[in-house]
Amino acid sequence: MTTTTLAPAPVEETAKREHVFKALLHNRSSLIGGALTLIVLLTAGAGALGLLPYDPATQDVAAALQSPNGSHWLGTDQFGRDVFARVASGLGSSLLVASVSVAISGVLGIMLGVLAGFFGGAADRIIGVVTNILFAFPSLLLALALAATLDRSWQTVSLAIAVVYLPIFIRVARGPVLTLRSADYVTAAAALGQRRMATLFQHILPNIRSIILVQVALTMSWAILTEAALSFLGFGTPPPAASLGVMVYDARALSSIAPWLLAGPGLAMVVIVLGLNMLSAGLRDVLDPRSGDRR
């Protein structure tokens, strides 16, 4: 009678993860960026779960245009709606659109980039042509054209933003794969008879994880700004859902008498974009040994 025991996780891999975690805790960019991102996530989560004292869509004309106070932390708008509640709801909408769009563009872009870089040939040429065509259009104009063509919904906005950032993920994945496929250990695996797909999953993909992770954090901030720009132009998340871009647009006419209407959504966008950019910079410093110590 034989018994089978499960092999424990490799000690080297566990030690590496612990080292990365400790390095992130000692990196100023990752700490500040992570803290700002966490604040935004908690605020958006509180709004989504209805934990805030005011509903973002409830109007109270008697409380219209109140400046920030103890009851309304960011004041109220011209309809008496709580600005903080609407900012929290807008952050939730922005994060939803950005997450879906980055997930679509990331998964599809990485697949195409790996396919082009690892197998080359006709696949590389065709994917390269598509990538160059998408890069030929300014990102905001391409997203605007796609959003205007399709029905207005958050799903449409997510799809439009995903198409805009698809070529970036293709390029980010393809470049390292081109280098890795000629590495000594990949050549040795092929000489030992290992199948190409096994080599891809065992040797190639694990070595581009850090690059992809940094790019995801960075693209999230771009996607949030793009969603806000589309909403500002009238092609973003449709009402009654709150949107940071729409809030900025509506605040223009009242900015001289009620500056808090512009400050609320503007500050929220600054915090989330700054947080994600600093987080991506911290991840790059820790995960990319060639970046040096930039703390």
Side-chain angles (χ1 to χ4, degrees), residues 48-235:
L49 295 175
L51 301 179
L52 299 179
Y54 298 98
D55 184 88
T58 300
Q59 300 183 12
D60 183 7
V61 179
L65 295 180
Q66 287 189 7
S67 60
N69 52 64
S71 299
H72 302 281
W73 297 343
L74 294 179
T76 60
D77 63 9
Q78 65 271 35
F79 301 108
R81 297 174 297 190
D82 185 72
V83 174
F84 182 80
R86 291 185 60 76
V87 166
S89 180
L91 283 172
S93 299
S94 296
L95 289 171
L96 174 63
V97 171
S99 299
V100 172
S101 62
V102 171
I104 295 173
S105 61
V107 172
L108 186 57
I110 293 167
M111 289 175 57
L112 293 175
V114 170
L115 176 64
F118 189 67
F119 294 99
D124 190 16
R125 291 191 293 271
I126 294 172
I127 294 172
V129 169
V130 174
T131 302
N132 291 333
I133 291 174
L134 292 175
F135 268 128
F137 295 93
S139 57
L140 182 57
L141 290 181
L142 179 58
L144 183 60
L146 292 172
T149 302
L150 304 174
D151 294 334
R152 187 180 177 188
S153 64
W154 73 265
Q155 293 93 337
T156 297
V157 178
S158 299
L159 180 60
I161 296 175
V163 173
V164 168
Y165 296 116
L166 175 64
I168 294 179
F169 279 102
I170 294 176
R171 288 279 179 88
V172 167
R174 178 181 177 272
V177 171
L178 282 174
T179 303
L180 290 171
R181 73 177 185 180
S182 59
D184 292 340
Y185 54 87
V186 174
T187 304
L192 293 172
Q194 187 177 54
R195 294 184 177 182
R196 298 194 73 183
M197 292 303 295
T199 301
L200 176 63
F201 284 96
Q202 184 176 349
H203 298 296
I204 302 296
L205 293 180
N207 283 290
I208 66 173
R209 286 181 302 184
S210 60
I211 300 173
I212 298 303
L213 186 60
V214 172
Q215 187 60 47
V216 165
L218 188 59
T219 308
M220 278 287 294
S221 66
W222 298 344
I224 289 173
L225 286 178
T226 303
E227 188 277 333
L230 291 175
S231 297
F232 182 86
L233 296 172
F235 295 96

